[in-house]
Amino acid sequence: MTYLASNLITDSYYLSSIVSRDFETPTGGQMSDGLRLLNDVLADRTIDNGTIPYSKKDLITASPGVSVYAIPDLINLEIFVFYIGDVRYETRNQQRYEFFGSFRAVNIQSLPFNWHFERNLNGGTLYLYFIPNQAYPLELWGTFRLSSVTEFQDLSLTLDQFYTNFLKYLLAQRLCEYNSWAVPQSIMLQLEKYYQWINKNTNVMDLRQRKVSSLATTTSINYGLVNLSNG
């Protein structure tokens, strides 16, 4: 069912009681304010990415001798693997100090089985170690920022109905604050429920520890592979 951004903005005005459902429709100026504030609400999900319920895959190709890759719109990287032929290889995520501050040999080109991700303007940067020694296909799974919308864009093509409902309440709250209008208690209570539902049921990170040993026979990467593999 088609649900335009203009429909969401109008519904938010009615929810906030700034516009009376039975006697008024939002004016052109109110619709312009609503669209701008809706895109502000979408942009704010980027710093509260626990409220973005969608993850997706991105595919890039490593270049020989290149260890730094800009990934547009990526705000949280959860899984990174690379391929040699038809074999997928697991990698290990390292925190900032371990990746940039620990003891290691540099400028070695081999299998890129360690990685670190940093948020940057309009996306993020993936750092690899070892430096790739050939063009490996890379597969990334993570959370990407939500795109801004236009007034007559059909939101049902990109967002589930539960999420447009959530955005409707978020926008109603933002409209009240923007117009110095008291936020109805019903809006605050419903938003609290949405936060709980979304954080509980989406983007649950796997926090189990994984160890990569240079001596293990079952690990996906070991120093035998590093030293002997030709990629």
Side-chain angles (χ1 to χ4, degrees), residues 60 63 65-71 99-100 120 125-128 131-132:
I60 61 175
S63 298
V66 179
S67 62
V68 181
Y69 297 85
I71 315 295
F99 192 90
F100 293 111
N120 300 119
T125 301
L126 174 66
Y127 298 88
L128 302 180
I131 301 171

Side-chain angles (χ1 to χ4, degrees), residues 5-191:
S6 58
N7 298 137
L8 188 149
I9 295 168
T10 300
D11 289 343
S12 295
Y13 270 111
Y14 290 151
L15 268 178
S16 67
S17 298
I18 295 173
V19 175
S20 173
R21 182 187 303 272
D22 296 325
F23 303 104
E24 300 176 273
T25 57
T27 66
Q30 287 174 323
M31 292 300 293
S32 296
D33 288 341
L35 180 62
R36 178 170 52 82
L37 293 174
L38 173 58
N39 282 319
D40 287 347
V41 165
L42 290 169
D44 286 349
R45 300 310 99 212
T46 304
I47 58 173
D48 187 12
N49 57 340
T51 56
I52 297 179
Y54 306 111
S55 296
K56 69 176 184 179
K57 177 174 69 173
D58 194 17
L59 300 173
I60 61 175
T61 300
S63 298
V66 179
S67 62
V68 181
Y69 297 85
I71 315 295
D73 298 328
L74 182 62
I75 58 179
N76 182 40
L77 178 57
E78 297 179 27
I79 299 172
F80 162 68
V81 296
F82 67 93
Y83 286 81
I84 300 177
D86 294 329
V87 180
R88 182 177 66 196
Y89 287 84
E90 182 182 5
T91 60
R92 186 164 68 98
N93 179 16
Q94 293 185 322
Q95 298 304 308
R96 182 183 294 134
Y97 180 81
E98 184 181 10
F99 192 90
F100 293 111
S102 62
F103 175 84
R104 67 171 37 162
V106 298
N107 299 324
I108 297 177
Q109 295 192 19
S110 187
L111 305 175
F113 69 88
N114 289 332
W115 61 274
H116 176 71
F117 178 74
E118 289 281 340
R119 287 277 298 273
N120 300 119
L121 180 64
N122 298 324
T125 301
L126 174 66
Y127 298 88
L128 302 180
Y129 183 81
F130 296 109
I131 301 171
N133 62 332
Q134 68 172 49
Y136 297 107
L138 309 180
E139 181 177 288
L140 316 173
W141 284 91
T143 305
F144 290 77
R145 64 189 301 169
L146 298 174
S147 300
S148 60
V149 299
T150 58
E151 184 173 352
F152 299 108
Q153 181 173 330
D154 185 1
L155 302 180
S156 67
L157 299 178
T158 54
L159 301 173
D160 289 296
Q161 184 175 348
F162 82 88
Y163 202 70
T164 55
N165 290 339
F166 172 55
L167 293 175
K168 180 167 56 180
Y169 278 86
L170 279 175
L171 179 57
Q173 179 190 30
R174 187 66 60 92
L175 288 169
C176 288
E177 294 168 349
Y178 181 75
N179 289 279
S180 300
W181 192 274
V183 182
Q185 185 66 16
S186 59
I187 290 178
M188 301 305 296
L189 291 174
Q190 188 61 43
L191 277 176

